Structure formats: C-alpha cells, structure tokens
Amino acid sequence: MSVLLFALGAGAVTGLALGALGGGGSVLAVPALIYLLGFTPAAATTASLVVVTVTSATALVGHAREGAVRWRAGAVFAAAGIVPAAVGGVLSRQLPAALLTGAFAVLAAVAAVRMLRPSPVGSPETPVRARASRVAGAGAGLGAVTGVLGVGGGFLAVPSLVNVVGLRMRAAVGTSLLVITINSLTALAARSGTAADVDWSAVGPFAGAAILGAWDGRRLAARLSAGTLQRLFAYALLAVAVFMLADAVR
C-alpha cells in the first residue's frame, strides 16, 4: 500500500510540473523512482521515460488546443538534437559521475538566472519570431547537453526556447512538451532491451497519476501570467541545481 501511495503522490507532482511548466518531469521522476519506490538507476531511467513520454504527449494535446504549441519550431528543435545527443552519450561514458552531476547543476543554475533577469527585448508576453537557424542551433546544443548529462532535457528546453529561440513563456511551455515527447520516445526506443527490469505494477499508478496531474498543471498555467510561470520555473531550476550540486560534492 505504501508503494502505491508513493507512486500516486510522486506521479501527481511529476505531471503537475510537466503540465504547468513544460519540463522537470524526468528530474522529479527519476529520484522518486529510486528513493521512494526502490528502483535501480537504470530501471528508474527507463520507467521515467515511459512516464514522461505518456504524460508529455497527454499535456501536449491540451496546450495544442489552446494554440500554445509552435509545431515547426518544436520539430526542428527536437530533430536537430538527435545526432548531438548520441555523440554526447558516448562522451559521457568517459567522464566521472560527480563531474557530470556538478556540470548539470551549474547549467541549471545559469539557465535559472537568465530567466530571472529582465528581458531587454520586452515582456515575456511579447512574441518574437524565431528563425529556423536559431531553433536548430539551440536544439543541437540542448541535444548535446542532454546526451552528456543523461537527462530528458525538458527543464532545459523551456529556458532555451525563451532565451535563445525567442518564444514567449506560454508558447515555450507548450512547445517544450513536443520536444520532450520526441526526445523521450527516441531514448525509450534505444532502451527497449531494459524494459524487463522495470516493475510495471508501480509504473502504472505513477503514470496514471502523472497524466491527471498534467491536466491540473495545464489549468494552473492558464490562470497564471507568463511572467509568474517564468519565475516559478526559474526557482524550480535553482532548487534542482542546489540539490544536485550538494549530491555531487558529497
């Protein structure tokens, strides 16, 4: 019973983050699966990809109905990162785990600070037309970082879409869900051989709660201003950065 309750609670929080913020699902899901449900790191990563893929795709439908998804930008962004992610994955095997964790924490903190800094272009509500070259460049960079650090990358996609590509916050949240869905499906296909190690009896309730949480998160996003969402996401990134940095130096 305690495992079921942990799965439902952790899944709801994961879905809420994905639905409202367009990222953070894998950052929340993997620790929850390891520390609350007793998964091994390898099994937790595979299970997290399943949960995040299903939840992101579900949340994407709601954001798309509201016109908050930039399909062309998102598709180019995700496609540009596939090859760099593969190369980064090979490179990551040569680096110490503590170095990877520390680099991830620093990167998350930098992204958060950039989002908290006032934009010189205008308010977050002002849309900026994104060029395909900038979208592809940002997607390739995110893919490389995702491959090296071994994380889905949704929490990095949102600040990249806001700061580099030039999307307003609400559009970045919706578009990041498209990027997460594509990236997670690709990574899940590569890990299909590890599916037998996953305890699906715990993943099922986790994913179900995450889907419901994503719908609540989408409604929350509709009630808050883009600036509030941006600050909330930035503070969440800072919290993740502090936790991971502490784990790296432990």
Side-chain angles (χ1 to χ4, degrees):
M1 178 61 70
S2 60
V3 172
L4 177 60
L5 292 177
F6 282 145
L8 291 174
V13 174
T14 297
L16 188 68
L18 279 169
L21 302 175
S26 60
V27 174
L28 296 173
V30 171
L33 289 165
I34 293 174
Y35 298 114
L36 297 181
L37 301 180
F39 279 48
T40 65
T45 303
T46 302
S48 172
L49 286 170
V50 174
V51 173
V52 171
T53 298
V54 175
T55 308
S56 298
T58 302
L60 176 63
V61 173
H63 284 267
R65 287 176 179 172
E66 297 173 354
V69 179
R70 302 296 177 261
W71 296 98
R72 181 173 177 271
V76 172
F77 195 99
I82 293 176
V83 173
V87 175
V90 174
L91 177 62
S92 67
R93 300 176 192 145
Q94 313 301 322
L95 301 176
L99 177 61
L100 294 175
T101 303
F104 185 93
V106 171
L107 187 62
V110 170
V113 170
R114 289 192 63 184
M115 294 191 76
L116 289 172
R117 189 179 303 160
S119 173
V121 176
S123 71
E125 298 289 349
T126 304
V128 179
R129 186 174 182 83
R131 296 194 303 271
S133 59
R134 294 192 68 192
V135 174
L142 178 64
V145 171
T146 300
V148 171
L149 299 180
V151 179
F155 71 104
L156 293 175
V158 171
S160 294
L161 289 167
V162 170
N163 295 318
V164 178
V165 179
L167 296 183
R168 58 187 179 182
M169 184 61 182
R170 200 172 301 281
V173 169
T175 305
S176 73
L177 290 169
L178 174 62
V179 176
I180 295 169
T181 301
I182 295 174
N183 287 348
S184 297
L185 276 173
T186 302
L188 187 59
R191 292 172 175 266
S192 58
T194 63
D197 300 328
V198 176
D199 181 5
W200 296 108
S201 64
V203 175
F206 194 111
I211 291 173
L212 294 177
W215 284 103
D216 289 336
R218 183 178 62 84
R219 287 194 288 267
L220 176 64
R223 295 176 182 176
L224 298 176
S225 68
T228 299
L229 277 176
Q230 184 165 325
R231 289 190 296 273
L232 180 62
F233 192 81
Y235 292 136
L237 279 182
L238 283 176
V240 169
V242 170
F243 176 83
M244 295 191 73
L245 190 59
D247 184 59
V249 299
R250 198 185 306 173

